[in-house]
């Protein structure tokens, strides 16, 4: 199969997945994967299809392969977020936190990555750090005027949730 034909099939699979025909997309992606098991985009798209079908455990090897085969930019961001979230959903909290830590390091401005990292922090026994991170994300992203009015106070309290000013 030519590169152009492979690309057309990949575009078709993405369209099927995005159009809600996820089982059909998965079948096509698995066929593409059999032909090109090291293709990071095929692996990422396969992971997403499996995740969308509730097959999280089956999605993990595809995410891992996508990352291992040198994804870059937004695709890497999506893969790290997807893998971290999937590990967390499977109760693999330490792996989730490690993956999301890599994601936050690579994409420090990605608030979604930070929110999922906060959930993994909670699951790994770090509820204070999770709460602090969520408070910072809220103050950094909210459009709510009432919260913005207290942004400085919230950020101050987030720095040390156990401190009192008596």
């Amino acid at each position: 199969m030519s590169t152009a034909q492979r690309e057309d099939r990949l575009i078709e699979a993405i369209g099927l997945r995005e159009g809600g025909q996820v089982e059909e997309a998965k079948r096509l992606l698995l066929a593409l994967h059999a032909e090109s098991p090291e293709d990071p985009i095929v692996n990422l798209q396969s992971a997403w299809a499996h995740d969308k079908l509730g097959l999280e455990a089956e999605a993990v090897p595809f995410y891992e392969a996508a990352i291992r085969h040198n994804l870059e930019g937004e695709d890497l961001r999506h893969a790290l977020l997807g893998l971290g979230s999937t590990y967390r959903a499977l109760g693999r909290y330490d792996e989730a936190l490690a993956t999301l830590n890599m994601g936050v390091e690579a994409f420090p401005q990605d608030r979604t990555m930070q929110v999922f990292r906060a959930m993994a922090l909670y699951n790994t026994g770090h509820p204070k750090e999770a709460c602090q991170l969520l408070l910072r994300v809220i103050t950094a992203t909210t459009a709510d005027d009432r919260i913005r009015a207290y942004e400085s106070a919230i950020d101050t309290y987030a720095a040390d949730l156990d401190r009192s000013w008596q």
Side-chain angles (χ1 to χ4, degrees), residues 10 13-14 17 29 40-50 75:
L10 180 59
I14 292 168
R17 181 183 55 78
L29 287 162
I41 301 301
V42 170
N43 276 290
L44 178 59
Q45 292 295 329
S46 297
W48 281 345
H50 283 81
D75 292 325

Side-chain angles (χ1 to χ4, degrees), residues 26-92:
K26 182 185 104 175
R27 278 194 285 278
L28 184 51
L29 287 162
L30 288 175
L32 286 167
H33 185 267
E35 296 167 14
S36 302
E38 295 184 2
D39 184 312
I41 301 301
V42 170
N43 276 290
L44 178 59
Q45 292 295 329
S46 297
W48 281 345
H50 283 81
D51 254 350
K52 185 120 177 137
L53 290 168
L55 304 171
E56 288 87 357
E58 293 176 38
V60 167
F62 292 109
Y63 280 125
E64 292 171 338
I67 293 165
R68 187 173 55 252
H69 294 298
N70 302 318
L71 275 178
E72 296 177 340
E74 282 298 295
D75 292 325
L76 177 59
R77 186 183 68 78
H78 287 300
L80 289 168
L81 182 61
L83 180 59
S85 173
T86 299
Y87 277 150
R88 193 188 153 279
L90 293 170
R92 295 168 63 175

Side-chain angles (χ1 to χ4, degrees), residues 11-12 28 30-31 47-48 58 79-80 82 86-87 90 92 102 105 110 126 129 138 144 148-149 151:
I11 290 168
E12 178 186 356
L28 184 51
L30 288 175
W48 281 345
E58 293 176 38
L80 289 168
T86 299
Y87 277 150
L90 293 170
R92 295 168 63 175
M102 287 187 330
E105 184 176 319
D110 186 323
H126 305 285
E129 191 176 344
I138 289 169
D144 185 307
R148 296 215 65 74
E151 179 179 352

Side-chain angles (χ1 to χ4, degrees), residues 4 8-9 12 20 23 25 28 40 55 69 73 76 86 92 96-97 113 119 121 133 144-145 159:
D8 288 345
R9 288 177 63 203
E12 178 186 356
E23 191 61 52
L28 184 51
L55 304 171
H69 294 298
L76 177 59
T86 299
R92 295 168 63 175
L97 183 56
M113 194 81 68
M119 288 186 271
L121 283 165
L133 180 53
D144 185 307
D145 289 336

Side-chain angles (χ1 to χ4, degrees), residues 7 132 166:
E7 185 68 24
Q132 289 172 315
Q166 292 184 12

